[in-house]
Amino acid sequence: MALKPLGALAATALACATWAVAIEPLWLEKRELEVPFPGLPRALDGIRLGFLSDLHAGAWAPREHYLRAVRILARAGVDVLLLAGDIAGHRAGQTWKEVLAPLAGLEPPLGRLAVLGGHDHRFNAPAVAHHLQSLGY
């Protein structure tokens, strides 16, 4: 039995909502890539970068989600850690600082760097930047 157009639209909307709320926010993916970088000084050959993006802290994911990410990075033995945008959810609740706290435990030998994203600016960029600085970023 074929779905009528309205039924297909409703099914598609439900699938998209399920992905956006229940699957994608909790998806952690570890990838290891070797990227050639012509002209890189020999002393930096083999440097390991850790990269986290779109954390949306305080918006959806429970604290355990962030602890898992920290454990993955700690085991990876990265030399530099990069946090890239949307660190706090633009609708972050009261727990956003608490869920980011485990990031302070990551101390890669060559340092940490964070860049704010659109959600951070919609939430409260100065507060996010200040909190990241207090965590050593």
Side-chain angles (χ1 to χ4, degrees):
M1 173 182 215
L3 288 174
K4 294 183 178 180
L6 191 53
L9 181 60
T12 301
L14 178 60
C16 289
T18 300
W19 176 267
V21 174
I23 297 171
E24 197 269 340
L26 300 176
W27 184 354
L28 287 175
E29 183 174 334
K30 177 187 173 197
R31 286 192 196 176
E32 292 193 27
L33 305 170
E34 189 167 321
V35 179
F37 198 103
L40 186 71
R42 186 176 288 281
L44 296 177
D45 188 26
I47 191 171
R48 295 178 57 88
L49 303 176
F51 183 85
L52 282 174
S53 70
D54 297 283
L55 296 175
H56 297 278
W60 298 100
R63 187 168 190 265
E64 177 57 31
H65 176 69
Y66 301 95
L67 291 171
R68 282 180 36 222
V70 166
R71 285 193 299 265
I72 288 169
L73 282 167
R75 283 192 302 265
V78 300
D79 299 306
V80 177
L81 178 58
L82 309 170
L83 297 181
D86 297 345
I87 294 157
H90 73 275
R91 293 185 180 138
Q94 298 298 314
T95 62
W96 70 277
K97 288 182 180 180
E98 176 188 318
V99 298
L100 291 176
L103 294 172
L106 293 171
E107 296 184 10
L110 298 180
R112 304 177 278 199
L113 177 68
V115 177
L116 302 183
H119 287 258
D120 303 311
H121 287 279
R122 280 187 276 171
F123 173 63
N124 185 341
V128 175
H130 178 72
H131 187 61
L132 288 170
Q133 288 173 342
S134 77
L135 297 175
Y137 290 83

